[in-house]
Amino acid sequence: MPELPEVETTRAGLAPHLTGRTISAVTLRRPDLRWPIPPEVAAQLPGQRIDTIRRRAKYLLLDTHAGSALLHLGMSGSLRVLAPDVPVRRHDHVDIALDSGQVLRFNDPRRFGCLLWQPAGETHALLRDLGPEPLDDAFDGDYLFRASRGRRAPVKAFLMDQRIVVGVGNIYAAEALHAAGISPLREAGRIARERYVRLGAEIRRILAYAIGRGGTTLRDFISPDGAPGYFEQELSAYGRGGLPCPGCGTPLRQALIAQRTTVWCPRCQR
Ligand SMILES: [Zn+2]
């Protein structure tokens, strides 16, 4: 599944091809992805200039004067900029043609992705209750400390709650908790401020590093399963249950927390 770094890398890779371009046509090869594609997408976008391509959480927004196309890659989606004569493949559901002659093509085999419409000046319901971006100034360990008071959920579930902070998925929550020496099982409301300061810094460091790595290997995450192959071999905890902890050699433990597989070191993480 594309995580925040892959989506940010997608945004950065697409921006030079999209920014300032006028949309000449929209082709929908099916009426829906995860949800129906609203009629405004095909009705309003042609003739509009793309002012910016932004990311919010794992959503991408193509901003125009009339409104924004709101895209999510879901489990298996990918966006590519292609010459118009590249043959349409199976699962190529949407083409957005540009005045450059290129086409932005949305492929999504499993159709957990979406293409929605956000009218100018409004915030789509999906974006309304999202927490801060982990790389924005509004996010740090002090923020996590304040937000966690009175919360009884395990800290890993707390970090993965999009209303608290966006884009800290299973991989990055596991890695940041390992780096900060905090057990994923610990109750969020019972962790001291200085430990959250360290955790906040580790979340930012790990995500920034992953984005930096993704930025040079655009092809890797466009693989059909969206696996972050460029980063996987550098993971300390995620996907390594039973293997030795890179910090101390103790076998890493594995359990389900909030229905997600979680790996941690029983010695380094308290
Ligand atoms: Zn350890």
Side-chain angles (χ1 to χ4, degrees):
M1 174 184 335
E3 296 271 4
L4 184 145
E6 290 82 4
V7 179
E8 177 58 26
T9 305
T10 299
R11 188 203 64 74
L14 294 176
H17 300 282
L18 302 188
T19 309
R21 287 296 169 192
T22 297
I23 294 170
S24 50
V26 174
T27 304
L28 306 178
R29 297 194 182 85
R30 52 177 303 124
D32 60 340
L33 295 166
R34 179 173 185 175
W35 297 298
I37 299 171
E40 289 91 337
V41 170
Q44 304 255 21
L45 278 183
Q48 292 288 321
R49 180 180 175 273
I50 301 172
D51 295 322
T52 50
I53 172 167
R54 280 186 296 139
R55 181 188 57 74
R56 177 72 173 109
K58 296 203 304 187
Y59 293 92
L60 291 171
L61 293 112
L62 305 187
D63 292 329
T64 75
H65 183 73
S68 303
L70 178 64
L71 290 137
H72 195 287
L73 299 175
M75 305 286 285
S76 58
S78 64
L79 287 164
R80 293 175 304 156
V81 174
L82 300 167
D85 56 352
V86 174
V88 172
R89 298 174 310 169
R90 204 163 167 230
H91 311 303
D92 281 342
H93 303 308
V94 178
D95 277 2
I96 297 177
L98 307 167
D99 64 352
S100 60
Q102 292 182 305
V103 169
L104 175 66
R105 187 163 285 171
F106 188 13
N107 180 285
D108 188 3
R110 297 180 65 183
R111 296 205 311 273
F112 282 101
C114 68
L115 172 54
L116 299 169
W117 181 253
Q118 174 175 281
E122 294 183 23
T123 301
H124 195 280
L126 289 170
L127 306 184
R128 253 171 237 157
D129 297 323
L130 294 176
E133 290 285 331
L135 296 174
D136 278 1
D137 291 342
F139 176 82
D140 61 13
D142 277 331
Y143 163 80
L144 282 178
F145 174 75
R146 290 192 305 274
S148 64
R149 292 308 91 182
R151 301 236 176 201
R152 307 201 56 188
V155 63
K156 177 155 178 278
F158 169 74
L159 286 183
M160 291 179 65
D161 182 341
Q162 301 297 296
R163 293 165 297 185
I164 300 299
V165 56
V166 299
V168 183
N170 205 24
I171 297 173
Y172 300 103
E175 292 301 300
L177 287 165
H178 184 266
I182 296 172
S183 166
L185 308 169
R186 189 163 288 281
E187 201 175 296
R190 290 175 165 264
I191 295 171
R193 181 189 294 269
E194 60 267 27
R195 302 192 78 201
Y196 270 120
V197 168
R198 173 136 181 237
L199 179 59
E202 293 294 353
I203 290 169
R204 292 173 67 107
R205 181 184 66 79
I206 290 167
L207 284 172
Y209 179 76
I211 289 168
R213 300 281 284 164
T216 58
T217 56
L218 194 69
R219 264 181 4 188
D220 285 337
F221 68 89
I222 281 181
S223 68
D225 60 0
Y230 54 87
F231 189 59
E232 215 164 64
Q233 58 269 45
E234 299 173 55
L235 298 176
S236 297
Y238 180 84
R240 300 192 68 248
L243 295 172
C245 167
C248 72
T250 303
L252 294 169
R253 274 201 199 139
Q254 182 168 315
L256 282 181
I257 299 178
Q259 284 85 51
R260 303 300 296 273
T261 301
T262 298
V263 177
W264 75 101
C265 174
R267 187 159 167 211
C268 297
Q269 294 177 253
R270 300 289 169 154

